[in-house]
Amino acid sequence: MEQHSKCYCSVPFCSNSKRKQPYLSFHDFPKDKHLRSKWIAAIRREENVTFTVLRGSTYVCSQHFRSEELYVKEGGSRSRLKKGSVPSRFAWNHFESRHEDRLTPYERASTPLLLNTEAATGERVEQGLEAMLTEPNANAMEHDYCRPPSPGKMDAAAARIRELEQKVMELEKEIKQLTLLADQPKLNRFCSTDEEFRFYTRFPSEEVFMMFWGSVAPSASRIVYWTKAQREAYGTPSPHRKLGLIDECFLFLCRIAAGLKEQALASMFKVSLSTVSRIIITWTSYFYLVLGSQPSWMTRQQVQATMPKKIHQYCPEVRVLIDCTEVRGETATSVTVQSESFSHYKNHTTFKSLVGVAPCGVITFVSKLYTGSISNQELTRRSNFTRLLQPGDGVMADKGFQIEGMLAEVGATLIIPPFKRSVQFTKEDAEKTQAIARLRVLVERAIRRVKEYHIWDGVVPLSFTGLVNQLWAICCLMSNYQGPLDIMEDKPV
């Protein structure tokens, strides 16, 4: 009969069950009345109202049979009994199936006090009393380890050991996976597609980002935080870097490109708020130094080689296109500062910058941010933009730039859309206006790319005043890594 999980041993003081000890086999009482009566007498039970032998529900476990009485049928998995076998291994004849059935050393030493114990242990108490009368020191010398463990306990221990070994292997595998995951750059957890890289970093793809990182990684490895310099000055050791270099770079890009707040970044990267602030300050200075040291101003030969054909046809002498743009800033409490930074064009407190773009769409010049009340002419003069020009260069701007005299000092010319002097433009003026307008769109697109860095979405706080110039230059120069602007020469603007 197939054994189910609710098999229980009917021997007194044995609590084995198929659910707790699945490695044991449970055997029905025999059908032969004579042999069944031997089983009942052997287990010291009597059939009455409280105990009835029922086929399929009354069992004796395999621990109460000798090993030679058990066998496994060929091709089978369950132990079977030899014909005529009778259970003979019990707690009262010195076979303990469970640890709790054994007497403790204190109980064995105190056997005279246990004369009124249960009937199942009476025989053991009598033997202990007899041993104490004949050999008074016999129980005092006996210990738990004097007896070898029972076969049932050895089987249970072996099964438990195998179970624990399997659990240890699983935990070691899990620890290894967690270690590998911890060693991987955290950017891999957030960026798995080009769209995610574009959102978090503004780089068009993972390939472009990794190329950029490969170019700056050697110098980034020598970054020293200003806090570390302070600690070394006072003899205090610097703390261990909690993030890898590439993760710190990614954190900085998440701040300026995705516009994530510092508290959100601290939660994402599992670091403190002060660590996030230190990383942003350090990498702002680093990128401003690295990107600002690279030559961004294009030579006349480079401009001519990359100039669109349509522009070259009407404005071959153009070297750069310029325009001013503004970002909103927090209003100061000082009336004087408010008046200086208030922009009548935006009707708000702003910071203003001059941006220069080559005809191919690359930003080649970025000025510092000035207060919003400054005029375009004054901003152009203060930015020292004209020092980069050569005689014969053409500078394209809108009609609001009155800088002809300033450009004439260095031999450059101002290219602006022609003014309407009659009722209708001539064909040449119309084509030139269209060409200039098409090229002017490049400046707007380039500036729009810069402002798509979400750090400029809100109002620039006054606490950012010390970093705002560096962040503005970084965003302008990094926008060039997004690829060429779309110049549709065959379509009117």
Side-chain angles (χ1 to χ4, degrees):
M1 180 179 296
E2 184 177 356
Q3 298 175 1
H4 50 81
S5 61
K6 294 186 178 181
C7 295
Y8 299 94
C9 184
S10 59
V11 176
F13 308 107
C14 179
S15 59
N16 291 340
S17 66
K18 191 64 179 176
R19 183 175 62 85
K20 293 182 179 180
Q21 289 83 14
Y23 49 86
L24 297 178
S25 58
F26 292 77
H27 305 278
D28 277 306
F29 280 70
K31 295 180 180 179
D32 182 78
K33 293 183 179 181
H34 179 67
L35 185 58
R36 182 170 60 183
S37 62
K38 286 185 177 181
W39 278 41
I40 296 173
I43 67 173
R44 296 186 177 182
R45 301 289 296 265
E46 291 182 0
E47 283 196 278
N48 50 33
V49 179
T50 59
F51 176 73
T52 303
V53 177
L54 298 176
R55 189 75 177 173
S57 63
T58 310
Y59 303 95
V60 176
C61 69
S62 57
Q63 280 193 347
H64 303 292
F65 297 90
R66 297 188 300 274
S67 59
E68 57 267 26
E69 295 176 329
L70 298 169
Y71 72 98
V72 179
K73 190 175 181 180
E74 184 176 358
S77 60
R78 186 165 62 90
S79 298
R80 299 178 181 272
L81 281 176
K82 292 183 179 179
K83 189 174 181 181
S85 299
V86 178
S88 57
R89 304 173 66 191
F90 306 103
W92 50 83
N93 59 11
H94 302 291
F95 170 75
E96 292 84 5
S97 60
R98 294 181 61 85
H99 179 74
E100 57 265 25
D101 295 335
R102 301 178 60 187
L103 293 176
T104 64
Y106 176 81
E107 291 172 339
R108 292 196 296 273
S110 308
T111 48
L113 302 177
L114 302 177
L115 295 176
N116 294 327
T117 55
E118 297 178 0
T121 59
E123 185 176 346
R124 183 184 302 175
V125 172
E126 293 175 2
Q127 292 176 355
L129 180 60
E130 182 180 356
M132 287 188 64
L133 293 175
T134 56
E135 298 181 30
N137 297 327
N139 284 335
M141 298 174 62
E142 184 181 2
H143 298 280
D144 283 347
Y145 51 78
C146 295
R147 300 183 181 184
S150 62
K153 284 187 173 62
M154 294 180 66
D155 294 341
R160 181 59 176 167
I161 289 172
R162 289 192 297 270
E163 179 183 348
L164 292 176
E165 287 177 346
Q166 180 66 25
K167 190 172 183 179
V168 168
M169 292 176 61
E170 293 175 357
L171 291 175
E172 288 178 347
K173 185 178 179 181
E174 184 177 353
I175 290 173
K176 186 176 181 181
Q177 292 175 349
L178 291 175
T179 303
L180 293 175
L181 184 62
D183 293 338
Q184 291 180 351
K186 289 183 173 56
L187 69 91
N188 293 338
R189 303 181 188 179
F190 305 104
C191 299
S192 58
T193 63
D194 290 344
E195 288 74 14
E196 291 173 340
F197 268 94
R198 192 176 299 112
F199 173 77
Y200 285 107
T201 68
R202 300 305 302 169
F203 284 91
S205 65
E206 180 182 4
E207 181 182 3
V208 177
F209 172 77
M210 295 310 297
M211 290 177 60
F212 171 79
W213 172 247
S215 65
V216 300
S219 58
S221 61
R222 297 192 293 271
I223 285 180
V224 177
Y225 297 107
W226 68 270
T227 51
K228 179 178 180 181
Q230 279 188 328
R231 291 188 181 95
E232 290 180 350
Y234 290 99
T236 306
S238 177
H240 179 70
R241 179 180 271 116
K242 296 182 179 180
L243 296 176
L245 281 175
I246 192 170
D247 287 330
E248 289 188 358
C249 175
F250 179 63
L251 184 150
F252 172 77
L253 292 175
C254 287
R255 180 68 183 98
I256 66 170
L260 301 181
K261 301 298 182 182
E262 294 185 2
Q263 186 62 58
L265 293 173
S267 301
M268 285 175 56
F269 290 87
K270 308 298 182 184
V271 294
S272 64
L273 193 61
S274 60
T275 300
V276 173
S277 299
R278 184 170 62 249
I279 290 173
I280 292 174
I281 293 172
T282 302
W283 283 83
T284 298
S285 301
Y286 167 74
F287 276 127
Y288 181 73
L289 177 64
V290 171
L291 297 177
S293 62
Q294 301 299 317
S296 59
W297 183 257
M298 297 178 65
T299 64
R300 185 178 295 175
Q301 291 76 15
Q302 292 173 332
V303 171
Q304 292 294 324
T306 57
M307 183 182 296
K309 295 179 180 180
K310 199 76 171 179
I311 306 302
H312 191 274
Q313 179 180 353
Y314 293 100
C315 305
E317 72 281 5
V318 65
R319 179 80 177 271
V320 65
L321 301 87
I322 61 172
D323 199 1
C324 287
T325 186
E326 300 176 64
V327 293
R328 297 184 65 176
E330 184 180 0
T331 303
T333 56
S334 172
V335 178
T336 304
V337 176
Q338 286 185 29
S339 61
E340 291 179 353
S341 57
F342 186 81
S343 171
H344 293 280
Y345 179 71
K346 295 290 186 180
N347 197 28
H348 197 276
T349 300
T350 62
F351 298 104
K352 195 171 185 179
S353 173
L354 179 69
V355 178
V357 180
C360 62
V362 176
I363 295 179
T364 59
F365 178 81
V366 182
S367 75
K368 294 180 180 180
L369 289 168
Y370 294 86
T371 54
S373 61
I374 193 172
S375 64
N376 294 347
Q377 293 77 12
E378 182 64 17
L379 177 54
T380 305
R381 186 185 64 80
R382 290 191 184 184
S383 66
N384 296 320
F385 164 72
T386 56
R387 293 184 181 182
L388 299 173
L389 300 174
Q390 296 175 341
D393 288 342
V395 178
M396 185 172 291
D398 61 22
K399 296 178 181 180
F401 279 83
Q402 303 296 327
I403 55 174
E404 294 91 340
M406 197 181 306
L407 296 179
E409 294 176 1
V410 295
T413 57
L414 178 65
I415 303 174
I416 59 176
F419 288 93
K420 186 177 179 181
R421 295 182 175 86
S422 60
V423 178
Q424 186 175 358
F425 275 126
T426 63
K427 181 180 179 181
E428 182 180 357
D429 287 342
E431 292 177 351
K432 185 176 181 179
T433 300
Q434 189 178 49
I436 293 175
R438 181 179 289 111
L439 198 54
R440 289 287 306 160
V441 170
L442 289 179
V443 186
E444 302 298 332
R445 291 177 181 173
I447 292 176
R448 184 186 64 187
R449 273 186 173 183
V450 178
K451 291 190 175 181
E452 283 176 352
Y453 283 83
H454 292 288
I455 195 173
W456 310 113
D457 287 350
V459 176
V460 178
L462 293 176
S463 59
F464 251 42
T465 306
L467 296 175
V468 68
N469 278 309
Q470 296 178 355
L471 290 172
W472 176 254
I474 290 171
C475 293
C476 289
L477 296 176
M478 275 193 174
S479 66
N480 291 331
Y481 287 89
Q482 298 182 27
L485 291 168
D486 184 19
I487 305 174
M488 297 176 291
E489 299 182 12
D490 57 335
K491 297 182 181 179
V493 177

